[in-house]
Amino acid sequence: MTYDTRLGKYGGKPRLGGPRSTLCISSQVGCKMGCKFCATGTMGFKNNLTSGEIVEQLVHASLLTNIRNIVFMGMGEPLNNYTALVEAVRVMTGSPFQLSPKRITVSTVGIIHAINKLHSDLPGLNLAVSLHAPVQEIRCQIMPSARAFPLEKLMTALQTYQKNSQQKIFIEYIMLDGMNDEEQQAHQLGKLLETFQVVVNLIPFNPIGSSSQFRTSSDQKVSDFQKILRGTYNIRTTVRKQMGQDISGACGQLVVNLPDKRTRENTSLLTDIEDLRI
């Protein structure tokens, strides 16, 4: 993903900088979490990627452009492939890549036991949490994994993480029309986060097929939600730029289209990650 930071504003003033490239990396084929707004969840869990397969994505991308940032926000739950994740990040921050940990962000639905050891294993890394709802009931409706990782316990783990790391936490919040985008939910989210140092990233929902039960929030609702978090709770809140919808590669749209049985019998086995049709 290529951005030009000069096109954005911070504090009402144009940002400094210029073009930069961010690589969105997958850690698994499929995913066990089953988030109902995510296409990857519909294919179930297939396999963990090895640390080499994770790093290989950076190798191929580096042939195309200079990679400045890495986000583990592709296919899979990174903290459910913890050992490979740690090994891969240590390679990326070493020679020859020499990426700063501050340029690497790991996104999670909230695997509490892994969050508890993440700072110790990978200090300086950015943590992003897929929160998506300010209360447990709504979270369970759209994120089945929330039952295993209750919101109250998750927030306690994040408090400890922030105390130890002294870093801001990124909060990801998908905007689903009529589900979690009302003013009431904006105030609930603000109160939930007001004691934290966070950046909230509002994510417009990307369609995942005609069978999807969700609709994208209107631009006005997204704007109103952002204004409440910023104005009432003084929480830095951004809106994620939508990219990749034209190839069904936008946030939440990644899914492997596997051939049927007859097709598989006439083709060789997939041997490498870049051979998968994603």
Side-chain angles (χ1 to χ4, degrees):
M1 301 172 288
T2 300
Y3 304 86
D4 190 334
T5 55
R6 295 168 296 185
L7 299 178
K9 291 185 177 181
Y10 182 62
K13 299 179 180 179
R15 289 180 177 272
L16 301 176
R20 58 182 173 85
S21 292
T22 297
L23 176 63
C24 183
I25 280 184
S26 295
S27 56
Q28 297 176 315
V29 180
C31 185
K32 295 179 181 179
M33 299 299 102
C35 298
K36 295 183 179 180
F37 48 81
C38 179
T40 306
T42 65
M43 63 180 283
F45 174 71
K46 305 301 179 184
N47 203 12
N48 280 324
L49 297 183
T50 66
S51 57
E53 289 170 325
I54 294 172
V55 173
E56 186 179 24
Q57 296 169 71
L58 174 58
V59 172
H60 286 290
S62 297
L63 297 176
L64 302 175
T65 186
N66 182 41
I67 301 298
R68 181 175 180 267
N69 302 310
I70 287 177
V71 292
F72 281 83
M73 297 181 183
M75 195 177 283
E77 164 54 58
L79 297 191
N80 252 2
N81 189 11
Y82 190 82
T83 299
L85 168 73
V86 171
E87 292 175 352
V89 170
R90 287 174 176 168
V91 171
M92 293 172 180
T93 55
S95 180
F97 303 107
Q98 300 290 350
L99 287 170
S100 167
K102 295 181 181 179
R103 302 290 188 191
I104 301 175
T105 301
V106 171
S107 174
T108 177
V109 299
I111 311 297
I112 294 173
H113 59 273
I115 291 174
N116 289 339
K117 58 183 178 179
L118 185 63
H119 173 67
S120 175
D121 290 333
L122 294 172
L125 201 72
N126 293 311
L127 176 65
V129 179
S130 296
L131 198 62
H132 302 316
V135 294
Q136 176 70 0
E137 181 182 0
I138 298 176
R139 245 188 141 232
C140 286
Q141 290 179 37
I142 62 178
M143 302 173 68
S145 62
R147 296 182 180 90
F149 306 106
L151 184 59
E152 184 177 353
K153 292 184 178 180
L154 172 59
M155 300 312 292
T156 299
L158 294 180
Q159 281 183 327
T160 301
Y161 178 88
Q162 186 151 78
K163 180 181 179 180
N164 293 334
S165 68
Q166 294 297 303
Q167 291 177 249
K168 287 185 178 180
I169 296 173
F170 294 90
I171 301 295
E172 298 166 303
Y173 195 98
I174 194 164
M175 299 293 289
L176 303 172
D177 185 45
M179 174 62 72
N180 66 351
D181 64 346
E182 305 295 340
E183 288 188 10
Q184 177 188 5
Q185 277 107 39
H187 285 289
Q188 288 173 328
L189 183 63
K191 291 175 183 176
L192 182 70
L193 299 174
E194 60 185 352
T195 61
F196 288 84
Q197 292 295 314
V198 297
V199 176
V200 175
N201 190 210
L202 302 179
I203 307 171
F205 170 65
N206 292 305
I208 57 173
S210 58
S211 62
S212 174
Q213 59 183 295
F214 301 115
R215 298 187 306 274
T216 305
S217 300
S218 67
D219 291 343
Q220 186 62 52
K221 271 194 169 182
V222 175
S223 177
D224 290 345
F225 204 97
Q226 182 184 38
K227 287 177 181 177
I228 290 172
L229 292 176
R230 281 180 168 178
T232 305
Y233 299 96
N234 196 31
I235 295 174
R236 184 180 171 191
T237 308
T238 62
V239 179
R240 181 171 296 181
K241 182 180 179 182
Q242 293 173 285
M243 302 176 74
Q245 275 198 10
D246 56 325
I247 58 170
S248 295
C251 183
Q253 291 184 319
L254 294 180
V255 64
V256 173
N257 298 312
L258 295 176
D260 60 32
K261 182 178 180 181
R262 287 173 299 175
T263 305
R264 288 199 301 266
E265 290 173 349
N266 295 322
T267 58
S268 59
L269 291 174
L270 299 175
T271 58
D272 218 346
I273 189 170
E274 69 267 23
D275 294 327
L276 293 173
R277 292 196 297 123
I278 298 177

